[in-house]
Amino acid sequence: MLMADGERALELMGRAIRMAGYTHIHDVHRNVKTNKSNQPNQHPLISIEKNSGYRGSDRLQVKHGISEAGDMDCIGNMLTPDRTRHGLAFQGFHLDHPTGLPKGARVSGGALICQSLDRQGRLQNTTLMNGIHHLRIEELKPIAGGTSSPQKLYRIQLQMTDGQQILLDVERSFSTRNLL
């Protein structure tokens, strides 16, 4: 069960990475016609803050446009224009102190937090799962002699614990597909 929860959490983070920088084609045409600069280029579309979370874990923040296909954020809310800032949806992942534990309970890991925007464009935090010992995110460098591409590759590592004996490492790599 611990492995299934870890895989689900990694898939949510991977989906956000794959969406980073997405811009709907109608928004691109509107910006060209009005000669506006493209908003996504003014802010980093994907950022990693090293050692900024609980127990020195990393933080991931992703911004992207919304499509007409009914996209969802990391907690299952439908992405609509009112859940954006400057036309961009936001998803973030970090580790924080565990939540929902009784007073005096032994702390064995942190809580994986998902950040997204509510209907007023305010940041909301939701706990995805407890028992995360460490979250590490790193951008992988392209292989020497490879083609120069704006797409990036990220490795995400979760170290999970059941608080007793199990310390489980789950790792996956994800590539962006919308960065220009």
Side-chain angles (χ1 to χ4, degrees):
M1 192 158 113
L2 193 61
M3 181 68 122
D5 286 345
E7 288 292 330
R8 179 182 160 269
L10 288 176
E11 189 55 40
L12 289 171
M13 288 185 267
R15 185 178 70 188
I17 288 172
R18 288 189 297 270
M19 286 296 294
Y22 173 80
T23 304
H24 194 280
I25 192 69
H26 296 299
D27 295 337
V28 172
H29 288 294
R30 187 178 317 119
N31 288 340
V32 168
K33 287 180 181 178
T34 60
N35 204 13
K36 282 187 180 177
S37 64
N38 212 359
Q39 285 288 345
N41 294 331
Q42 296 176 1
H43 307 286
L45 298 170
I46 191 164
S47 66
I48 298 171
E49 294 177 29
K50 304 299 274 178
N51 304 316
S52 65
Y54 181 68
R55 292 186 179 162
S57 289
D58 300 337
R59 175 185 302 260
L60 172 68
Q61 298 176 336
V62 177
K63 296 176 185 173
H64 59 84
I66 56 174
S67 72
E68 295 174 352
D71 300 325
M72 294 181 158
D73 66 8
C74 50
I75 56 174
N77 293 323
M78 291 297 289
L79 293 176
T80 56
D82 56 349
R83 290 187 182 271
T84 65
R85 284 188 188 161
H86 306 291
L88 295 175
F90 173 85
Q91 295 185 70
F93 300 90
H94 69 277
L95 232 54
D96 205 346
H97 295 281
T99 59
L101 296 177
K103 195 170 194 167
R106 183 173 173 252
V107 176
S108 60
L112 180 61
I113 304 294
C114 160
Q115 293 182 310
S116 60
L117 300 174
D118 67 9
R119 289 188 176 154
Q120 286 76 38
R122 298 177 302 216
L123 200 59
Q124 64 181 0
N125 292 323
T126 305
T127 301
L128 290 178
M129 63 186 289
N130 285 312
I132 304 296
H133 193 275
H134 197 76
L135 170 64
R136 177 162 307 168
I137 304 160
E138 64 181 299
E139 181 180 348
L140 300 175
K141 301 297 177 199
I143 299 172
T147 61
S148 175
S149 170
Q151 304 309 322
K152 297 179 180 184
L153 184 64
Y154 295 92
R155 178 175 31 218
I156 302 174
Q157 300 169 315
L158 278 179
Q159 188 175 63
M160 301 178 295
T161 181
D162 68 349
Q164 303 283 314
Q165 302 169 353
I166 299 174
L167 196 61
L168 180 64
D169 292 323
V170 181
E171 173 183 314
R172 290 198 41 206
S173 297
F174 299 96
S175 176
T176 60
R177 61 181 179 190
N178 296 303
L179 298 179
L180 298 176

